[in-house]
């Protein structure tokens, strides 16, 4: 395994190189093209690079040796995440991401400063959709540029599988969020399917599989890596769901209770709704999905969620999923020291956040 500082430097260099290639590609659009490239570049900046690090760790664990060859694939998962978050913020009408205004709000603010014609909000949403699209295409460019020889084709296929699964998962997320709260008791399986197809897939399942594929090409090792990544990724999403309820804005980069105001369907919310009484459900109904809910309403909803036992139940599930991921890594067909490296990577996955 390469030195962590070298890994980080290689990933950042690959992201920068991809953005530079994208800039060259859109040069005929002039300064206007620069605006949207800058938005995509801003969206991919500031992350923890944990998905890219997981991919590179898996690559070396599976026998890979060339950091420069795999770095573009690692960069691709970060660009993909940037695209997914920009689009997600549009769909959820989120206002902050990583402590900064979301992309659609930034575009809308620029529209107002220029005193352009038309609706600034509509312009902002459209601009963010296009910036997310550009980041997604840049991610595909990065995968295609990786000098992986025969492993390149299977790596690209896996990346495409991931992109398609996440897109369908995002639609599922929209569908369950559009249902009335009274439907929540019947939504557990859809909520779990969303976790598995969205965050879990591009956070852990596919980064581990892409690293394995880049190192060895096609083979059963890819399926094994995916299997180990799924529980780790779900644990990660459950932790993020808890932080969306009780996390501090300074840590999450998002407002406290933001998921409540957005009406996001989560396992903590499902648990609270199905384990509280009519009075508790009335409190939740007043706050969940209410973008204008004041802090008092949100605090009351958080109290109902806590009193229902949802927090402790989800904490228990996170621990169980983390243990399962570690056990699956222990069964991988890898030398002991490489399994240990991967196990260490995933050991505290449920403690991490965006």
């Amino acid at each position: 395994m390469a030195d962590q500082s070298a890994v980080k430097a290689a990933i950042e260099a690959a992201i920068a190189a991809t953005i530079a290639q994208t800039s060259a590609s859109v040069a005929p659009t002039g300064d206007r093209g620069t605006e949207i490239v800058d938005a995509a570049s801003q969206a991919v900046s500031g992350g923890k690079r944990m998905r890219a690090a997981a991919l590179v760790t898996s690559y070396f664990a599976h026998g890979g040796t060339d950091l420069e060859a795999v770095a573009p694939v690692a960069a691709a998962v970060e660009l993909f995440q940037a695209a997914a978050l920009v689009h997600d913020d549009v769909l959820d009408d989120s206002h902050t991401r990583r402590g900064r205004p979301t992309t659609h709000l930034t575009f809308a603010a620029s529209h107002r400063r220029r005193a352009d014609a038309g609706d600034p909000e509509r312009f902002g949403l459209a601009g963010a959709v296009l910036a997310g699209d550009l980041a997604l295409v840049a991610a595909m460019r990065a995968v295609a540029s990786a000098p992986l020889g025969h492993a390149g084709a299977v790596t690209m296929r896996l990346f495409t599988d991931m992109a398609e699964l996440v897109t369908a998962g995002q639609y599922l997320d929209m569908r369950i969020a559009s249902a009335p709260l009274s439907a929540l008791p019947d939504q557990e399986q859809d909520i779990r399917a969303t976790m598995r197809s969205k965050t879990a897939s591009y956070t852990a399942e596919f980064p581990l599989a892409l690293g394995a594929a880049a190192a060895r090409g096609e083979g059963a090792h890819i399926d094994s890596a995916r299997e180990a990544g799924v529980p780790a990724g779900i644990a990660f999403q459950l932790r993020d769901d808890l932080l969306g309820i009780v996390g501090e804005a300074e840590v999450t980069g998002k407002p406290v209770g933001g998921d409540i105001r957005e009406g996001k369907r989560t396992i903590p919310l499902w648990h609270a709704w199905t384990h509280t009484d009519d009075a508790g459900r009335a409190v939740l109904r007043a706050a969940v999905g209410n973008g204008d809910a004041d802090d008092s309403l949100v605090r009351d909803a958080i109290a109902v969620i806590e009193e229902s036992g949802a927090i402790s139940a989800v904490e228990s599930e996170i621990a169980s999923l983390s243990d399962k991921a570690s056990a699956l890594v222990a069964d991988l067909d890898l030398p002991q020291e490489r399994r240990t490296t991967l196990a260490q990577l995933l050991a505290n996955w449920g403690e991490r956040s965006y």
Side-chain angles (χ1 to χ4, degrees):
M1 177 67 183
D3 177 75
Q4 289 302 306
S5 61
V7 170
K8 187 177 188 316
I11 292 167
E12 296 299 335
I15 292 172
T18 303
I19 294 294
Q21 291 163 359
T22 299
S23 295
S25 177
V26 306
T29 62
D31 291 343
R32 303 300 183 264
T34 299
E35 292 173 7
I36 194 168
V37 174
D38 287 348
S41 179
Q42 179 70 14
V44 78
S45 68
K48 298 177 182 178
R49 307 303 188 223
M50 57 181 295
R51 294 160 182 83
L55 190 152
V56 173
T57 300
S58 178
Y59 170 77
F60 282 107
H62 285 86
T65 59
D66 189 345
L67 176 58
E68 298 303 317
V70 77
V73 187
V77 298
E78 296 295 329
L79 287 159
F80 178 84
Q81 189 211 9
L85 295 183
V86 169
H87 287 160
D88 198 48
D89 288 340
V90 168
L91 295 170
D92 294 339
D93 193 24
S94 299
H95 290 179
T96 58
R97 173 68 67 180
R98 293 172 178 162
R100 302 189 297 255
T102 49
T103 303
H104 62 280
L105 291 188
T106 301
F107 271 119
S110 297
H111 183 283
R112 289 192 195 90
R113 283 196 301 271
R114 295 190 300 267
D116 286 348
D119 180 13
E121 282 70 30
R122 183 172 177 80
F123 178 88
L125 292 172
V129 168
L130 293 172
D133 289 347
L134 192 68
L136 176 58
V137 175
M140 303 297 286
R141 173 194 290 278
V143 177
S145 73
L148 296 173
H150 72 280
V154 64
T155 303
M156 178 59 82
R157 190 202 75 222
L158 280 172
F159 193 88
T160 303
D161 288 347
M162 177 186 73
E164 291 171 341
L165 178 58
V166 173
T167 302
Q170 180 63 71
Y171 179 73
L172 175 58
D173 200 7
M174 288 173 53
R175 286 284 281 108
I176 61 177
S178 67
L181 271 177
S182 58
L184 192 55
D186 299 322
Q187 290 186 319
E188 181 187 6
Q189 293 310 309
D190 281 341
I191 293 170
R192 292 189 180 280
T194 300
M195 289 194 298
R196 188 256 177 270
S197 57
K198 282 184 61 182
T199 305
S201 66
Y202 77 84
T203 296
E205 176 189 2
F206 279 95
L208 295 185
L210 285 162
R216 294 187 185 177
E218 194 67 83
H221 56 282
I222 294 175
D223 292 336
S224 297
R226 290 184 65 172
E227 185 180 6
V230 169
I234 295 174
F236 177 91
Q237 180 59 64
L238 288 171
R239 173 61 59 196
D240 192 65
D241 289 342
L242 290 183
L243 290 173
I245 297 169
V246 297
E248 299 177 358
E250 295 78 10
V251 175
T252 66
K254 298 183 287 186
V256 174
D259 286 353
I260 292 174
R261 291 187 176 93
E262 290 173 11
K264 183 177 179 182
R265 302 301 197 262
T266 65
I267 290 299
L269 178 61
W270 170 84
H271 188 283
W273 187 270
T274 56
H275 289 76
T276 191
D277 55 17
D278 288 343
R281 282 187 283 273
V283 171
L284 293 175
R285 191 178 289 110
V288 174
N290 179 2
D292 296 324
D294 60 26
D295 290 345
S296 177
L297 277 177
V298 171
R299 284 196 298 270
D300 289 345
I302 291 172
V304 169
I305 293 170
E306 292 176 331
E307 290 165 7
S308 75
I311 306 300
S312 59
V314 172
E315 289 284 8
S316 178
E317 184 171 355
I318 288 171
S320 177
L321 287 164
S322 298
D323 288 344
K324 182 177 180 180
S326 296
L328 288 168
V329 168
D331 287 339
L332 293 177
D333 184 21
L334 298 172
Q336 177 61 49
E337 67 274 12
R338 297 179 188 175
R339 293 201 305 270
T340 299
T341 299
L342 273 180
Q344 290 172 343
L345 174 77
L346 301 183
N348 298 313
W349 207 260
E351 300 305 314
R352 302 179 183 228
S353 62
Y354 285 110

